[in-house]
Amino acid sequence: MSNLRQRFYIENCPIRGEVVHLEEALHTILQKRDYPQAVQILLGEMLSATALLASTLKIKGRISLQIQAQGTFKWAMAECNHLGEVRALADFEQDPRFEQATDSSTVLAALSQPVLFINIEPEFGERYQGIVPLDQPTLAGCLMQYYDLSAQIPTRIVLASTEERTGGLLIQLLPRNSEEEQQFVDEDLWPRLIMLTQTLKTEELTDLSANEILYRLYNEEDVRLPEVEQLQFGCTCSKDKCINALIQIGVDAVKETLEFQNPIEMDCQFCNTRYEFTAEEALGLFGEHLS
Ligand SMILES: [Zn+2]
């Protein structure tokens, strides 16, 4: 059950949902940095949320959630692509408020002028960025509000995380076409599902398997489960991206860097991979040689 995403449908109803769990992937991400407990929980929830939202995309590419703030907490981001690869990172300075917090809501409440971005980056085609007001006490609350208002797809999201495991559940009432509108629908279904979903406890979301969660919540409904999808930690860094970054900063900046660092070292913050460029390689990018 450790790193997976389980889609579910309710037979003959315009309802779809997902349950995600991350364990090893979360562990891999959190061990790369020294995060306070509450920031670990926030990153865990952001990871579950991106894995849930990625399932709603029909394109190849990636979706990321990014919190930006002023003050000691600068940013946090989590990302999931169509292959089910996830990664996350946060940047902040030491702050007793984050050290003392034991949940993500306390961290969110302590942020100064925070903004949450939803970024969708298709492999081909235009990028999309949505801005989500961080004016609800929880990340799940902010995302639900965004979907209800901006996407106009009634959505319930539940997120939970510990330092060990993170889990999430998303359920959506899908739009129906005119033909489907004619069919008999159970008008109580959505309110009933909302009520059932609200009974899910944090520890159930992190500790129970997807099947157990879905059975516990919706055993009165006719739930259908397609094949489960695997998720894993994955980083999209590459030597080519480092080359592009060097070209971007320009030959003068590269020469300056070489004066105090030769070879040039570029570390990926997400996965700690180090990319090195000798003076010859770095200058060669600009068609120049060592003099
Ligand atoms: Zn990397």
Side-chain angles (χ1 to χ4, degrees), residues 42-96:
L42 177 63
L43 278 177
E45 291 182 1
M46 290 175 73
L47 274 168
S48 278
T50 45
L52 289 172
L53 300 185
S55 71
T56 66
L57 294 181
K58 291 177 180 65
I59 47 131
K60 279 188 179 177
R62 58 185 172 178
I63 185 163
S64 62
L65 286 178
Q66 192 177 354
I67 294 173
Q68 282 191 3
Q70 309 291 321
T72 48
F73 195 101
K74 304 195 180 317
W75 53 265
M77 73 92 82
E79 180 183 280
C80 181
N81 66 14
H82 65 277
L83 302 171
E85 292 174 328
V86 295
R87 60 179 197 168
L89 191 63
D91 187 21
F92 57 93
E93 288 160 15
Q94 281 220 324
D95 186 326

Side-chain angles (χ1 to χ4, degrees), residues 226-257:
E227 208 173 316
V228 69
E229 295 168 87
Q230 295 301 317
L231 302 170
Q232 67 265 322
F233 170 75
C235 196
T236 48
C237 65
S238 66
K239 186 137 191 175
D240 278 349
K241 285 185 181 165
C242 293
I243 288 174
N244 285 336
L246 289 176
I247 291 172
Q248 285 262 312
I249 65 168
V251 67
D252 292 339
V254 165
K255 280 180 182 166
E256 241 170 71
T257 308

